[in-house]
């Protein structure tokens, strides 16, 4: 399966950060971002099979421009639409869970430009309706991933001029996710903590 | 925007000419179901804008077979994948809500063959995790729509040999949805009732 938009656009942006090696570039951008997604997907499958929680990846919405009916139905022209919501949602102990996953190659901070206005609005709505809204933020170079509540990010944007959240801030205010074999990215203990809190 | 499998194209075609058998046939399948979907989408937009609840349509998953990068990213060949989950999910008062919408041209009963094994398994999981799992079932010819809990449908399948649920059963065990102008299909009062019950 080919995934978009998680990698492509980011590649261009990241040319600032990375010298020139083409292979290194493609590895460091699209694939790594995807790797986070793959890890989360694997983790969610693990949780689903163990009956621990039920979180699904939202399919990327597309706009179909041309269909071919000659042999069943086949999409012959379509474009990816901009996501107006988030990557994942689902249920844990009756609660509605909503998660956006982002990774950065940055070493010291997470650039807020990675998050769209639409996504912030969506997460704000989720919170308003009593759902649990989270970010999974990965610092790809260090292979460290954190959960930050969307509320924290929304407050940060409201109260700061800064265009990024430092790793230090994230270490202090987020929850680091334990990486392992199965599940790959064991975020459930953190989700439990957060659900008890809110 | 061309929608599939609930396609706009088909609706127009139908509305123009319902007389011939062929049109009547196509009406009975994709198109009417579509109209129900449009009504639910409109209702969900209304609820979202009024801040009443937050329920989204899940995009239909596709499998991309060919991408074209010559001018941005464009899907040049793809097929629709079989849904393994349901049409809608979201949040109401912190609770996770999951809804599958079905319509039938049948006058006396709703054929259970309309529901896939995967969807039943998914809804069973949602219930197990404390979510609210519902069906919206429309009898298109009468323009009557009902909510049935997924639990009721699962119990029915478990305890019956019958391959369909009669309209009478649905009237007795479901909740009829009031149709109106705005919202089109006002299912929220029923959702409230069900949330208080479970």
């Amino acid at each position: 399966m080919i995934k978009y938009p998680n990698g492509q656009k980011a590649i261009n942006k990241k040319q600032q950060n990375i010298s020139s090696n083409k292979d290194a570039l493609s590895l460091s951008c699209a694939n790594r971002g995807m790797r986070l997604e793959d890890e989360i997907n694997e983790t969610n499958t693990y949780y689903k099979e163990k009956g621990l929680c039920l979180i699904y990846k939202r399919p990327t919405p597309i706009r179909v421009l041309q269909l071919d009916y000659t042999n069943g139905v086949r999409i012959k022209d379509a474009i990816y639409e901009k996501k107006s919501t988030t990557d994942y949602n689902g249920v844990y102990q009756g609660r509605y869970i909503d998660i956006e996953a982002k990774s950065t190659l940055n070493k010291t901070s997470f650039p807020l430009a990675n998050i769209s206005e639409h996504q912030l609005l969506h997460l704000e709505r989720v919170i308003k309706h009593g759902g649990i809204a989270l970010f999974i933020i990965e610092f790809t170079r260090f292979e460290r991933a954190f959960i930050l509540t969307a509320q924290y990010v929304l407050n940060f944007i409201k109260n700061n001029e800064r265009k990024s959240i430092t790793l230090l801030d994230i270490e202090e205010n987020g929850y680091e996710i334990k990486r392992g074999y199965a599940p790959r990215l064991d975020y459930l203990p953190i989700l439990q903590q957060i659900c008890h809190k809110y």
Side-chain angles (χ1 to χ4, degrees), chain A:
Chain A
M1 184 184 164
I2 298 163
K3 287 168 198 164
Y4 176 85
N6 275 355
Q8 302 304 327
K9 261 184 189 158
I11 286 176
N12 301 330
K13 262 193 182 163
K14 270 148 205 167
Q15 280 167 343
Q16 298 152 7
N17 299 343
I18 296 169
S19 53
S20 61
N21 186 306
K22 205 179 160 191
D23 288 342
L25 184 71
S26 69
L27 172 71
S28 63
C29 304
N31 301 332
R32 288 230 167 163
M34 227 159 268
R35 233 185 271 164
L36 174 64
E37 189 181 306
D38 288 340
E39 281 187 318
I40 296 173
N41 290 344
E42 268 190 52
T43 302
N44 288 342
T45 301
Y46 176 91
Y47 289 155
K48 184 175 79 179
E49 279 164 10
K50 297 276 178 188
L52 298 171
C53 72
L54 193 62
I55 314 275
Y56 281 94
K57 175 92 175 74
R58 280 191 173 99
T60 308
I62 59 164
R63 186 184 305 165
V64 175
L65 302 170
Q66 196 193 325
L67 284 177
D68 178 12
Y69 293 97
T70 48
N71 196 2
V73 183
R74 203 132 172 171
I75 300 161
K76 281 301 174 190
D77 195 9
I79 52 173
Y80 287 102
E81 290 200 290
K82 217 172 171 178
K83 279 195 305 179
S84 62
T85 61
T86 46
D87 292 327
Y88 300 91
N89 73 355
V91 54
Y92 172 65
Q93 296 187 341
R95 304 284 300 265
Y96 175 83
I97 313 296
D98 204 296
I99 304 171
E100 175 66 16
K102 301 281 187 197
S103 51
T104 181
L105 283 175
N106 221 305
K107 286 180 178 175
T108 53
S109 66
F110 172 73
L112 291 165
N114 280 347
I115 310 169
S116 79
E117 280 294 325
H118 271 107
Q119 292 184 323
L120 289 172
L121 182 61
H122 168 74
L123 291 165
E124 215 162 10
R125 282 190 175 125
V126 168
I127 293 166
K128 201 191 134 209
H129 286 286
I132 301 287
L134 306 172
F135 283 96
I136 293 180
I137 292 176
E138 184 196 47
F139 285 83
T140 310
R141 286 177 191 280
F142 304 128
E143 296 193 353
R144 295 179 71 188
F146 298 84
I147 281 191
L148 266 188
T149 64
Q151 189 62 70
Y152 175 80
V153 175
L154 288 162
N155 289 346
F156 185 94
I157 291 169
K158 203 176 154 193
N159 302 321
N160 279 280
E161 293 291 300
R162 276 152 52 198
K163 297 274 177 260
S164 64
I165 309 180
T166 63
L167 175 53
L168 212 71
D169 275 342
I170 293 171
E171 285 173 328
E172 256 172 44
N173 299 289
Y175 307 74
E176 186 156 4
I177 306 173
K178 217 186 88 196
R179 268 204 162 89
Y181 175 65
R184 299 288 289 251
L185 209 59
D186 194 13
Y187 66 82
L188 191 58
I190 299 168
L191 183 59
Q192 278 171 327
Q193 268 187 70
I194 292 171
C195 281
H196 282 135
K197 235 170 150 178
Y198 293 96

